[in-house]
Amino acid sequence: MTDVRIPSAASVPAHRDPNVLRWVGAYTASMVGDMVFFLALSWAAVQNGTPAQAGLVTAVSAVPRALLMLGGGVVADRLGPRRVVIGSDTVRCVTVLAVAAVLFATDPGLWLLALLAVVFGTVDAVFMPAVGALPARITHKDQLARVQGMRGLAIRFAAVVGAPLGGLGVAVGGAAAAFAFAGLLIAVSVPLLISVRMRDLPADDASAARETTAWRDLVGGLRYVRRHRVLGPLMVTIALGDLGFVGPLNVGLTLLADERGWGASGMGWVLAGFGTGAGVAALLLTVRGRLPRAGCVAAGSIIPGAAAIAALAHAPGLPVAVGTAVLVGLLTGLSGAMCGALLQTQSDPAYLGRVTAVGGIVSLGIAPLSMPLSAAAIGVWGTGPVFAVSAAVCGLGGVVALCAPGVRRAELPK
């Protein structure tokens, strides 16, 4: 597959660039398809097995994703992110549609669902680093922060729209119909991705991946991140931030809502508040395109965001909890968006697949460990102390960033 390329030219604002908008449309369709897929997988697993078996089926996709993502980053950098994204999205589409067809015809049981989850997770290990490496090839460096904001809006849109669409599919035709709907949504992204044009890279960047073995590329990518004055400490910041954030905003929030008598609807309102705040942060970056003193903003916003996480456990009522969640979403969303923008703009494009893979392992491999630990700790000490410790871990990420001169002085391109 030959990449379609565009010559370097004067920068066009990303939100007005048809090339970027095609990519955002493809990414949005794929993410909505993902949301529908995981809802359909959870529903089908619950219908075909015990709760424990259903939990195992829905979690099994994370194993190949975490184990293989570094290799996926190498593949994206060696083969080019465009062809890897198109190929992996096609495999995802065909696999989901094939399972939908089987479910329409028969009831194969949990083994097919588990196999589907493993295949999906394996392909995701290649797809996700390639998605992270693609923006640098479709727009200019001064627009990458704006693209990061647009990507954040796409994720928020998928989170809001995907679950109701999946529920509608299940209500109309069961899990088979929902899987078919997910496959069709992912299929929409493929022709859009094919139409995306690529920007030329410098010759030394474009040829770097072809001069070494895959193993050396892997080791070289890890060494590149570790030695980089911005990327190294930024990865530590992201790891600490996610470790302190994922537990309270997932299992911790469920237990808090139960403890306070807010119920499932109250928990939904708190989650909606968080999503609203994070969406506003993504919109701000989309509109502005660039915020001055990006490193300080990324580090400075995570510290009060961590304090808001601690305060959430002491909210006197549901309205205050929702308002606090909006503040958490706004501050942590702004920090996350700025960290993502810095990863995009500070990385050499030839390493972006591997850099994205390292960041993905941090978020998808390390951070989920905090969920069972948070649940067990809340059972022993209660929500207040555990939320406070989680906030301290999250805030420590901001301290690490502020203490790293490279991050503290980092700026987004003008």
Side-chain angles (χ1 to χ4, degrees):
M1 184 184 301
T2 303
D3 287 345
V4 180
R5 300 195 175 272
I6 55 175
S8 297
S11 181
V12 177
H15 60 291
R16 300 175 186 170
D17 186 346
N19 197 49
V20 174
L21 293 177
R22 286 193 296 271
W23 177 81
V24 172
Y27 183 73
T28 303
S30 187
M31 290 300 99
V32 174
D34 276 5
M35 293 296 295
V36 175
F37 165 79
F38 282 110
L39 188 144
L41 182 67
S42 299
W43 178 265
V46 168
Q47 296 300 306
N48 284 274
T50 66
Q53 290 172 328
L56 182 62
V57 168
T58 54
V60 73
S61 65
V63 177
R65 188 186 298 122
L67 292 177
L68 302 176
M69 192 173 292
L70 279 177
V74 173
V75 171
D77 286 335
R78 290 181 70 86
L79 300 183
R82 179 177 179 269
R83 67 186 70 185
V84 172
V85 167
I86 292 171
S88 55
D89 227 19
T90 301
V91 172
R92 282 154 37 103
C93 172
V94 171
T95 302
V96 175
L97 290 176
V99 170
V102 172
L103 289 177
F104 272 121
T106 184
D107 184 11
L110 284 175
W111 71 267
L112 179 65
L113 299 176
L115 178 61
L116 173 62
V118 170
V119 171
F120 212 81
T122 302
V123 178
D124 264 357
V126 180
F127 174 78
M128 295 175 71
V131 165
L134 200 57
R137 263 75 167 198
I138 63 175
T139 189
H140 293 268
K141 207 165 188 177
D142 63 331
Q143 295 299 313
L144 287 176
R146 181 171 274 127
V147 172
Q148 191 69 21
M150 297 167 73
R151 183 179 178 184
L153 288 175
I155 293 172
R156 295 300 155 200
F157 177 82
V160 171
V161 173
L165 287 178
L168 178 63
V170 169
V172 170
F179 276 128
F181 192 25
L184 292 174
L185 283 167
I186 297 173
V188 169
S189 70
V190 176
L192 287 171
L193 288 169
I194 293 173
S195 70
V196 172
R197 298 170 297 162
M198 302 288 287
R199 185 173 66 87
D200 287 322
L201 293 179
D204 55 338
D205 288 349
S207 61
R210 295 191 293 267
E211 295 176 354
T212 62
T213 65
W215 175 251
R216 288 181 179 176
D217 280 353
L218 176 59
V219 174
L222 294 174
R223 186 182 298 117
Y224 174 77
V225 171
R226 180 174 59 84
R227 293 179 177 178
H228 198 286
R229 63 187 185 87
V230 176
L231 299 181
L234 202 60
M235 290 296 181
V236 177
T237 296
I238 293 171
L240 291 171
D242 283 347
L243 277 172
F245 177 80
V246 169
L249 264 296
N250 285 277
V251 63
L253 181 58
T254 303
L255 296 173
L256 179 64
D258 181 65
E259 177 185 295
R260 298 298 183 85
W262 296 339
S265 62
M267 185 181 70
W269 278 107
V270 176
L271 287 173
F274 162 73
T276 299
V280 169
L283 181 62
L284 173 64
L285 196 56
T286 300
V287 173
R288 289 291 303 272
R290 181 184 184 275
L291 295 178
R293 301 183 64 82
C296 286
V297 171
S301 57
I302 197 174
I303 295 175
I309 291 174
L312 186 61
H314 302 283
L318 183 59
V320 176
V322 173
T324 305
V326 172
L327 186 60
V328 172
L330 178 63
L331 292 171
T332 59
L334 181 60
S335 176
M338 296 305 291
C339 286
L342 287 171
L343 288 181
Q344 287 283 323
T345 55
Q346 294 289 326
S347 299
D348 185 318
Y351 286 91
L352 257 175
R354 283 161 286 178
V355 171
T356 303
V358 173
I361 288 178
V362 166
S363 297
L364 299 174
I366 298 176
L369 297 176
S370 65
M371 288 192 283
L373 293 177
S374 295
I378 288 173
V380 176
W381 292 293
T383 53
V386 174
F387 271 61
V389 171
S390 297
V393 173
C394 189
L396 182 60
V399 173
V400 169
L402 288 174
C403 292
V407 177
R408 192 172 61 247
R409 299 168 186 164
E411 294 279 5
L412 297 176
K414 295 182 179 180

